Amino acid sequence: MENIKGLKRTRLCTELSVNDVGKEVVLMGWVQRRRDLGALIFVTLRDRSGIMQVVFNSEADPELHKKAFQLRSEYVIAVRGTLALRSPEAINRNMPTGELEVLAKELRILSKSETPPFHIEENSDANEALRLKYRYLDLRRPDLQGNLILRHRVAKIARDYFDANGFLEIETPVLTKSTPEGARDYLVPSRVQPGKFYALPQSPQLFKQLLMISGFDRYMQITKCFRDEDLRADRQPEFTQIDLEMSFVDVEDVIRVNEGFIQRVFREILDIELPVPFKRLTYKEAMERFGSDKPDTRFGLELKNVSDIVKDSGFKVFSDTIANGGCVRAINAKGAGTFSRKEIDALGETVKTYGAKGLAWIVIEDNGVRSPIAKFLTETELQNLKERLEAQVGDLLLFVADKEEIVFNSLGHLRLVLGEKLNLIDHDKYDVLWVTEFPLLERDEEENRWVAKHHPFTSPMDEDIEYLDTDPSKVRAKAYDIILNGYELGGGSIRIHDIELQNKMFNIIGFSDEEAKERFGFLLEAFKYGVPPHGGLAFGLDRLVMLLAKTSNIRDVIAFPKVQNASDLMTNAPDYVDEKQLEELCIKTVEPSEN
RNA sequence: GGCCCGGUAGUUCAGUUGGUUAGAACGCUAGCCUGUCACGCUAGAGGCCGAGGGUUCGAGUCCCUUCCGGGUCGCCA
């Protein structure tokens, strides 16, 4: 093994251009590939910027050529040589540095490598579990390097943009207090106070509110958050938020400053100019039209309420559902009348996933309809349905009857499936919108109480405060989510800054004064000493970068992600610890119970 | 916790109704080769068919259990 003594790297591979031809250069990096033509050896050298061809010619230097013969994939080398223009017939147009090559004068093997378990290349088809076990090799691939560089750039834009707008980056604790409500906490035992635990933050929510009370006026932080819930393609147990909070603002102020941020990200990263202000939908409208509070509005297929048409229908599934307080809604899948019975059944399975009992359907044909339910419907009902759904020959009408919640959820997801299946989604389009006026509260049927839909510090809308006592379900919140192509990019709210209202909120979600004091006493105490009106928002940085990188897997934009069972295949975390460590923490483990 | 998909050389995969010695490509090793760039040519090595149990004369293939990975529902204020 050799060292780099006396050699200094001049440039990265792709920083060299035809203007540098004739200069002596020193490159350092990994052997991407060796092509051995006998007396002539080509090596593609890879560094973070890209690749450059290096030539070893036995005629020019037999000793050096002999040394180059030893090179294998992923050896780390330093090469000193002359940058040369390739002869015209040897130019590789598929390579950014394809006009150039380095004629080697010196080679040092800085580190050898075993044959890697998978080939380091763009668009690797190697199994992801294998790539995660050897993540440091996976991260050598240009696509992942590009993703992490992109991530860095987005984070930098966030810091620059919010700095320019008067925000201060302030760190908040990672070891903090467990709070009720919300996701499961990750707990950290205290050694000095046996039996007590810290919790890792689900978000810095309370700390940023306290910073407003401290008078910092505008705060931002790029920070890790932790939620002990099951993973998804777009969800990791530890993730990063661009978190911010502002004083003396209302909804419009928060929205405006964040539109500017997203606009700048798209301008600088993708060279796309997003028009502001962004579209807005109220929560109610989003649900009614798209069956989702994070609608993908790149395509139509909107939901239509047909309850009034079929409320007295002979089809009991419809009329009984409505009689029991439910509803019937439908999607017109334009042109999907050609779907086979099997395909329609598969759509039925889709809605069943979301709790629907079934999917009723009608195909509009030249001379009438084809449908298992048509015989239960009168001619008038059929005619009204067609009109409401703007049905034409060749269309497939799809109906779900159930509680509103299930109808929205199942049709909302069916809509996405149909959008894909009917190829209605323009994957090069970026569709950004705000969803506003979320309900403040929702009913937890299991616990039979109200819970905060956003969090318990969210302010109700001024005009709805009167309903807090009479009909909490009617109260809308000063909460807003920002949605990109059907993904929730971020969300936030104006907070309650009045101690009376905050106490009332705790009471409505079932906290006694004692419990509220126990859990959030520090906040209520702070509320006694002059609280500016404030509000904020948090973006999911991972998700934002994921969408900018055009991948649907959040692991592709995280350096060391976790797999579905929340373990890290490289480090093998989580893992058992020494009995000694547990003793010191006064912790005993028990076998998990069956069931 | 539920549902769906997957696990066979280093890698990506094929493997028929259960039937002889489990194949291919890439990679790897060695040799030849002075303009390659997915270099080419020749030869070679390489397998706990995820694991355990069962059925069978016989299991990569069928059954049961289990482990691992992915997607998803629940969950994620």
Side-chain angles (χ1 to χ4, degrees):
Chain A
M1 230 51 52
E2 299 171 280
N3 61 39
I4 57 173
K5 198 171 177 188
L7 281 188
K8 195 155 173 55
R9 186 163 63 156
T10 47
R11 301 271 191 82
L12 295 177
C13 289
T14 60
E15 287 172 355
L16 295 168
S17 75
V18 288
N19 301 323
D20 302 306
V21 165
K23 286 184 189 163
E24 178 167 289
V25 297
V26 177
L27 297 176
M28 299 187 189
W30 285 259
V31 173
Q32 174 70 27
R33 220 176 196 89
R34 183 192 62 145
R35 288 179 294 278
D36 181 356
L37 277 69
L40 194 61
I41 294 175
F42 296 100
V43 167
T44 24
L45 179 75
R46 184 189 71 241
D47 63 26
R48 141 182 155 183
S49 74
I51 55 177
M52 172 66 78
Q53 173 161 285
V54 182
V55 189
F56 297 91
N57 192 324
S58 66
E59 210 169 75
D61 188 338
E63 282 305 305
L64 188 61
H65 171 269
K66 212 170 146 191
K67 195 169 181 185
F69 180 76
Q70 299 171 37
L71 295 177
R72 293 293 181 272
S73 290
E74 302 308 315
Y75 276 31
V76 179
I77 58 172
V79 174
R80 186 174 57 82
T82 310
L83 189 69
L85 211 53
R86 298 194 198 180
S87 64
E89 62 278 8
I91 287 173
N92 184 348
R93 298 282 168 206
N94 302 318
M95 194 173 150
T97 58
E99 287 180 276
L100 302 167
E101 62 189 1
V102 172
L103 308 175
K105 288 195 281 192
E106 184 181 356
L107 167 67
R108 294 196 200 170
I109 297 175
L110 305 176
S111 174
K112 294 188 172 184
S113 170
E114 290 186 12
T115 303
F118 55 91
H119 189 219
I120 313 296
E121 61 183 345
E122 200 154 5
N123 301 318
S124 173
D125 57 1
N127 181 278
E128 199 185 359
L130 186 75
R131 294 197 283 113
L132 287 169
K133 181 176 174 190
Y134 298 95
R135 187 60 163 178
Y136 42 89
L137 297 181
D138 200 21
L139 290 172
R140 286 182 189 171
R141 300 189 306 107
D143 29 7
L144 284 192
Q145 294 224 333
N147 288 351
L148 292 183
I149 291 166
L150 170 66
R151 184 178 175 122
H152 160 80
R153 291 174 60 209
V154 174
K156 173 142 182 7
I157 292 169
R159 290 204 166 92
D160 290 348
Y161 175 85
F162 287 111
D163 172 68
N165 282 279
F167 288 76
L168 303 168
E169 182 158 12
I170 301 172
E171 290 171 83
T172 53
V174 168
L175 296 177
T176 179
K177 187 181 164 96
S178 180
T179 51
E181 305 286 288
R184 250 175 244 115
D185 284 323
Y186 278 101
L187 297 177
V188 180
S190 164
R191 175 183 57 83
V192 290
Q193 299 189 47
K196 292 189 179 176
F197 294 83
Y198 300 97
L200 304 181
Q202 297 177 28
S203 84
Q205 183 59 36
L206 295 174
F207 290 104
K208 65 176 175 175
Q209 291 193 239
L210 290 162
L211 288 171
M212 293 304 102
I213 296 175
S214 301
F216 285 101
D217 200 272
R218 290 187 167 199
Y219 141 97
M220 76 83 70
Q221 184 183 196
I222 297 180
T223 186
K224 276 285 177 74
C225 303
F226 306 86
R227 294 178 189 175
D228 185 5
E229 297 294 347
D230 287 351
L231 287 79
R232 287 288 186 279
D234 65 347
R235 236 164 60 189
Q236 285 270 309
E238 59 174 305
F239 60 101
T240 304
Q241 283 189 347
I242 303 171
D243 190 45
L244 55 112
E245 194 76 6
M246 311 162 75
S247 290
F248 307 109
V249 291
D250 211 333
V251 175
E252 294 304 320
D253 304 289
V254 180
I255 283 183
R256 199 167 309 125
V257 75
N258 285 297
E259 284 181 343
F261 168 60
I262 291 296
Q263 193 181 36
R264 180 156 160 191
V265 167
F266 274 78
R267 184 184 301 138
E268 292 188 18
I269 301 289
L270 297 177
D271 199 23
I272 288 175
E273 197 60 33
L274 294 176
V276 290
F278 298 159
K279 277 190 293 192
R280 300 221 194 151
L281 283 176
T282 63
Y283 172 86
K284 187 172 190 300
E285 192 179 0
M287 296 305 289
E288 294 272 349
R289 290 174 55 193
F290 303 100
S292 169
D293 61 1
K294 45 177 178 160
D296 186 341
T297 52
R298 285 176 296 178
F299 65 102
L301 297 183
E302 295 189 15
L303 279 57
K304 292 276 183 324
N305 192 349
V306 297
S307 302
D308 56 316
I309 298 173
V310 296
K311 68 180 191 308
D312 302 314
S313 169
F315 187 44
K316 290 294 170 205
V317 172
F318 285 177
S319 47
D320 287 357
T321 299
I322 294 164
N324 292 322
C327 65
V328 181
R329 285 166 208 264
I331 291 178
N332 178 357
K334 277 274 167 206
T338 52
F339 282 8
S340 67
R341 183 62 194 255
K342 199 175 157 190
E343 286 175 297
I344 296 174
D345 286 346
L347 299 178
E349 289 307 310
T350 299
V351 298
K352 281 180 187 168
T353 314
Y354 300 94
K357 292 186 244 346
L359 184 68
W361 54 273
I362 299 173
V363 173
I364 312 296
E365 297 186 319
D366 280 325
N367 39 11
V369 300
R370 179 162 54 91
S371 165
I373 65 163
K375 57 179 177 280
F376 303 109
L377 300 172
T378 66
E379 199 50 46
T380 318
E381 285 167 343
L382 212 47
Q383 201 50 45
N384 288 338
L385 286 175
K386 281 198 225 172
E387 245 166 65
R388 176 75 48 86
L389 295 165
E390 294 165 24
Q392 293 170 313
V393 171
D395 290 350
L396 169 65
L397 312 182
L398 298 158
F399 303 80
V400 171
D402 216 304
K403 291 189 297 196
E404 207 159 60
E405 189 191 338
I406 287 175
V407 172
F408 284 145
N409 198 21
S410 58
L411 282 181
H413 281 91
L414 179 67
R415 178 177 167 271
L416 297 178
V417 169
L418 288 168
E420 260 328 320
K421 200 170 155 64
L422 296 170
N423 224 356
L424 300 175
I425 301 174
D426 177 355
H427 289 282
D428 293 322
K429 194 170 170 184
Y430 290 93
D431 194 54
V432 191
L433 64 116
W434 293 98
V435 175
T436 62
E437 300 181 18
F438 278 79
L440 183 70
L441 299 153
E442 60 190 355
R443 200 70 197 163
D444 183 327
E445 299 296 345
E446 257 175 47
E447 295 185 39
N448 195 31
R449 66 181 183 102
W450 293 103
V451 293
K453 187 165 176 72
H454 190 48
H455 57 56
F457 317 103
T458 301
S459 172
M461 286 175 62
D462 303 323
E463 55 268 52
D464 291 351
I465 288 184
E466 54 179 309
Y467 301 119
L468 272 177
D469 299 310
T470 53
D471 184 0
S473 70
K474 276 176 83 169
V475 181
R476 291 166 299 166
K478 290 187 183 178
Y480 32 80
D481 279 357
I482 182 164
I483 311 300
L484 174 59
N485 293 351
Y487 284 90
E488 182 191 330
L489 260 198
S493 63
I494 299 300
R495 330 297 183 187
I496 296 168
H497 72 282
D498 172 69
I499 192 168
E500 294 305 320
L501 188 55
Q502 187 63 65
N503 272 322
K504 185 169 205 167
M505 186 67 183
F506 283 144
N507 289 337
I508 289 172
I509 62 174
F511 287 14
S512 65
D513 290 350
E514 292 72 41
E515 280 175 302
K517 203 175 160 193
E518 159 79 26
R519 294 298 180 182
F520 303 111
F522 59 102
L523 182 76
L524 295 173
E525 187 69 16
F527 269 27
K528 294 177 184 168
Y529 297 100
V531 186
H534 62 289
L537 181 138
F539 291 99
L541 175 63
D542 315 87
R543 230 176 252 174
L544 174 59
V545 175
M546 175 180 97
L547 293 165
L548 293 169
K550 282 184 175 289
T551 168
S552 52
N553 181 343
I554 203 165
R555 293 184 295 273
D556 289 345
V557 298
I558 296 174
F560 300 102
K562 293 180 173 53
V563 297
Q564 195 153 260
N565 66 7
S567 62
D568 175 341
L569 295 180
M570 186 182 69
T571 63
N572 202 31
D575 209 344
Y576 298 104
V577 297
D578 282 347
E579 199 55 41
K580 253 190 169 161
Q581 290 176 278
L582 291 179
E583 271 170 34
E584 196 165 41
L585 295 165
C586 302
I587 285 179
K588 270 201 166 65
T589 56
V590 295
E591 291 299 311
S593 53
E594 298 298 315
N595 68 31

Short mmCIF file of all heavy atoms in Angstrom, two decimals, chain A residues 523-544:
data_model
loop_
_atom_site.label_atom_id
_atom_site.label_comp_id
_atom_site.label_asym_id
_atom_site.label_seq_id
_atom_site.Cartn_x
_atom_site.Cartn_y
_atom_site.Cartn_z
N LEU A 523 -45.43 24.95 29.41
CA LEU A 523 -45.98 25.81 28.35
C LEU A 523 -47.04 26.74 28.93
O LEU A 523 -47.06 27.94 28.66
CB LEU A 523 -46.58 24.96 27.23
CG LEU A 523 -47.13 25.77 26.06
CD1 LEU A 523 -45.98 26.29 25.19
CD2 LEU A 523 -48.10 24.96 25.21
N LEU A 524 -47.91 26.16 29.76
CA LEU A 524 -48.98 26.97 30.35
C LEU A 524 -48.39 28.05 31.25
O LEU A 524 -48.88 29.18 31.30
CB LEU A 524 -49.94 26.07 31.13
CG LEU A 524 -50.71 25.08 30.24
CD1 LEU A 524 -51.51 24.10 31.08
CD2 LEU A 524 -51.62 25.83 29.27
N GLU A 525 -47.33 27.69 31.93
CA GLU A 525 -46.63 28.66 32.77
C GLU A 525 -46.10 29.81 31.89
O GLU A 525 -46.28 30.99 32.20
CB GLU A 525 -45.48 27.94 33.49
CG GLU A 525 -44.75 28.75 34.53
CD GLU A 525 -45.59 29.05 35.78
OE1 GLU A 525 -46.64 28.39 35.97
OE2 GLU A 525 -45.20 29.96 36.54
N ALA A 526 -45.47 29.42 30.80
CA ALA A 526 -44.90 30.42 29.88
C ALA A 526 -45.99 31.34 29.33
O ALA A 526 -45.76 32.52 29.09
CB ALA A 526 -44.17 29.73 28.74
N PHE A 527 -47.17 30.76 29.15
CA PHE A 527 -48.28 31.52 28.58
C PHE A 527 -48.73 32.66 29.49
O PHE A 527 -49.49 33.53 29.07
CB PHE A 527 -49.47 30.58 28.30
CG PHE A 527 -49.46 30.00 26.90
CD1 PHE A 527 -48.28 29.83 26.21
CD2 PHE A 527 -50.65 29.62 26.29
CE1 PHE A 527 -48.26 29.30 24.93
CE2 PHE A 527 -50.65 29.08 25.01
CZ PHE A 527 -49.46 28.93 24.33
N LYS A 528 -48.22 32.66 30.73
CA LYS A 528 -48.61 33.72 31.66
C LYS A 528 -47.80 35.00 31.44
O LYS A 528 -48.08 36.02 32.03
CB LYS A 528 -48.38 33.26 33.10
CG LYS A 528 -49.26 32.12 33.56
CD LYS A 528 -48.86 31.73 34.98
CE LYS A 528 -49.63 30.51 35.48
NZ LYS A 528 -49.03 29.99 36.72
N TYR A 529 -46.71 34.89 30.63
CA TYR A 529 -45.75 35.99 30.61
C TYR A 529 -45.64 36.72 29.28
O TYR A 529 -44.58 37.13 28.86
CB TYR A 529 -44.37 35.47 31.03
CG TYR A 529 -44.36 34.94 32.45
CD1 TYR A 529 -44.43 33.58 32.68
CD2 TYR A 529 -44.32 35.82 33.54
CE1 TYR A 529 -44.43 33.09 33.98
CE2 TYR A 529 -44.33 35.32 34.84
CZ TYR A 529 -44.39 33.97 35.06
OH TYR A 529 -44.41 33.48 36.33
N GLY A 530 -46.75 36.83 28.58
CA GLY A 530 -46.71 37.64 27.35
C GLY A 530 -46.36 36.80 26.15
O GLY A 530 -45.20 36.51 25.91
N VAL A 531 -47.37 36.40 25.42
CA VAL A 531 -47.18 35.50 24.27
C VAL A 531 -47.54 36.22 22.98
O VAL A 531 -48.67 36.66 22.82
CB VAL A 531 -48.08 34.26 24.41
CG1 VAL A 531 -47.77 33.26 23.30
CG2 VAL A 531 -47.92 33.61 25.77
N PRO A 532 -46.61 36.34 22.05
CA PRO A 532 -46.99 36.94 20.77
C PRO A 532 -47.85 35.97 19.98
O PRO A 532 -47.66 34.76 20.08
CB PRO A 532 -45.64 37.15 20.08
CG PRO A 532 -44.77 36.07 20.62
CD PRO A 532 -45.23 35.85 22.04
N PRO A 533 -48.79 36.47 19.18
CA PRO A 533 -49.48 35.57 18.25
C PRO A 533 -48.42 34.95 17.36
O PRO A 533 -47.51 35.64 16.91
CB PRO A 533 -50.38 36.51 17.44
CG PRO A 533 -50.49 37.75 18.26
CD PRO A 533 -49.23 37.86 19.05
N HIS A 534 -48.50 33.65 17.14
CA HIS A 534 -47.44 33.01 16.36
C HIS A 534 -47.97 31.79 15.64
O HIS A 534 -49.02 31.25 15.96
CB HIS A 534 -46.26 32.65 17.26
CG HIS A 534 -46.57 31.67 18.35
ND1 HIS A 534 -47.35 32.00 19.46
CD2 HIS A 534 -46.24 30.37 18.50
CE1 HIS A 534 -47.45 30.94 20.24
NE2 HIS A 534 -46.80 29.94 19.69
N GLY A 535 -47.20 31.37 14.66
CA GLY A 535 -47.57 30.18 13.90
C GLY A 535 -46.39 29.76 13.07
O GLY A 535 -45.40 30.49 12.96
N GLY A 536 -46.49 28.59 12.47
CA GLY A 536 -45.34 28.12 11.69
C GLY A 536 -45.71 26.94 10.83
O GLY A 536 -46.89 26.68 10.54
N LEU A 537 -44.67 26.25 10.46
CA LEU A 537 -44.85 25.16 9.51
C LEU A 537 -43.60 24.30 9.54
O LEU A 537 -42.53 24.76 9.95
CB LEU A 537 -45.05 25.76 8.11
CG LEU A 537 -45.30 24.83 6.93
CD1 LEU A 537 -46.39 25.43 6.06
CD2 LEU A 537 -44.05 24.65 6.10
N ALA A 538 -43.74 23.05 9.13
CA ALA A 538 -42.57 22.19 9.00
C ALA A 538 -42.66 21.42 7.69
O ALA A 538 -43.72 20.88 7.35
CB ALA A 538 -42.47 21.23 10.17
N PHE A 539 -41.57 21.42 6.96
CA PHE A 539 -41.49 20.61 5.74
C PHE A 539 -40.80 19.30 6.05
O PHE A 539 -39.86 19.26 6.84
CB PHE A 539 -40.65 21.32 4.67
CG PHE A 539 -41.28 22.55 4.10
CD1 PHE A 539 -40.92 23.81 4.55
CD2 PHE A 539 -42.24 22.45 3.10
CE1 PHE A 539 -41.50 24.94 4.03
CE2 PHE A 539 -42.82 23.58 2.57
CZ PHE A 539 -42.45 24.83 3.03
N GLY A 540 -41.23 18.25 5.39
CA GLY A 540 -40.47 17.01 5.44
C GLY A 540 -39.36 17.10 4.40
O GLY A 540 -39.61 17.02 3.20
N LEU A 541 -38.14 17.30 4.88
CA LEU A 541 -37.03 17.48 3.95
C LEU A 541 -36.81 16.24 3.09
O LEU A 541 -36.60 16.33 1.88
CB LEU A 541 -35.74 17.82 4.72
CG LEU A 541 -34.47 17.90 3.87
CD1 LEU A 541 -34.54 19.04 2.85
CD2 LEU A 541 -33.23 18.09 4.74
N ASP A 542 -36.89 15.07 3.72
CA ASP A 542 -36.66 13.83 2.98
C ASP A 542 -37.65 13.69 1.83
O ASP A 542 -37.30 13.34 0.71
CB ASP A 542 -36.83 12.62 3.91
CG ASP A 542 -36.14 12.83 5.24
OD1 ASP A 542 -36.77 13.42 6.14
OD2 ASP A 542 -34.97 12.45 5.37
N ARG A 543 -38.90 13.98 2.13
CA ARG A 543 -39.95 13.84 1.11
C ARG A 543 -39.78 14.87 0.00
O ARG A 543 -39.96 14.56 -1.18
CB ARG A 543 -41.31 14.01 1.78
CG ARG A 543 -42.27 12.89 1.44
CD ARG A 543 -43.56 13.04 2.19
NE ARG A 543 -43.69 12.05 3.24
CZ ARG A 543 -44.68 12.03 4.12
NH1 ARG A 543 -45.59 12.99 4.09
NH2 ARG A 543 -44.74 11.09 5.02
N LEU A 544 -39.44 16.08 0.38
CA LEU A 544 -39.21 17.14 -0.62
C LEU A 544 -38.08 16.72 -1.56
O LEU A 544 -38.22 16.79 -2.79
CB LEU A 544 -38.87 18.46 0.09
CG LEU A 544 -38.46 19.64 -0.80
CD1 LEU A 544 -39.56 19.98 -1.80
CD2 LEU A 544 -38.13 20.87 0.05
#
